[in-house]
Amino acid sequence: MILSLLKAFLIGICASAPIGPTAVLILQKSVTCGRKTGFVTALGATIVDTSYSAIAMIAVSFVESFILAHQNPIMIAGGVVVCIIGAGMVFKKIDFEARDKVNVGNTLQAACCALANPGAIATMLALVTVFKIDVNVVPIWILVPCVALGSVTYWQCFTTLFSRISGSVSTKNIARFNMIAGIVVILLGVLLAVKGIINL
């Protein structure tokens, strides 16, 4: 049982680790707005990853076939959503006085960004398969919180590390970083949408 719980914890870490639009968004929030804001933003990704892990454990074959059948439309729509989030990052002015103030909107922003990427659930399906999670050995209601704990642990370390960088950087450079991060997210969104269009 302990081994299964450890596997679920590692799945949470592995699912969070890939660098994509969501990670760039969380990085930007951590550097420009501080650790608390970065972490609250990351909770959106954790919610999505945890939900995907539950789905993957319950019905791997059904979910996998559904995602594969609708992958391209999801990519196109997801790419548009990611571009909108990136544009918001570019054009929104940073309120340095509001650093580290908790804003649920940031959590929702990251959740939308994570949901927009169909690759996230494919990754979760692969991880559940690779780690050979058996819900007959340990109930799902015990495994899923372990996945969430792994994800939270990863994002706690991630946001703490990058928020410390902002302390030694001028507000002007933080503003530049904010714009660059937004542009990167837009480009990732465009690539996602283009990939979906090409594969139609």
Side-chain angles (χ1 to χ4, degrees), residues 155-168:
W155 289 121
Q156 177 66 40
C157 295
F158 183 96
T159 54
T160 299
L161 174 65
F162 286 103
S163 64
R164 288 181 178 175
I165 295 173
S166 64
S168 59

Side-chain angles (χ1 to χ4, degrees), residues 17-88:
I19 299 299
T22 308
V24 174
L25 172 66
I26 294 166
L27 172 62
Q28 177 259 338
K29 293 292 184 183
S30 300
V31 173
T32 61
C33 302
R35 184 187 62 79
K36 288 182 182 177
T37 299
F39 182 69
V40 168
T41 303
L43 289 178
T46 295
I47 291 168
V48 173
D49 286 342
T50 302
S51 300
Y52 281 166
S53 72
I55 293 169
M57 291 177 201
I58 292 169
V60 174
S61 58
F62 173 77
V63 174
E64 188 173 25
S65 61
F66 177 84
I67 292 297
L68 289 174
H70 301 86
Q71 183 170 285
N72 297 325
I74 292 173
M75 278 188 181
I76 296 169
V80 172
V81 171
V82 171
C83 285
I84 292 170
I85 290 172

Side-chain angles (χ1 to χ4, degrees), residues 77-100:
V80 172
V81 171
V82 171
C83 285
I84 292 170
I85 290 172
M89 291 165 64
V90 171
F91 295 108
K92 185 178 179 181
K93 291 184 179 180
I94 303 170
D95 183 2
F96 290 99
E97 294 182 358
R99 283 174 61 84
D100 273 336

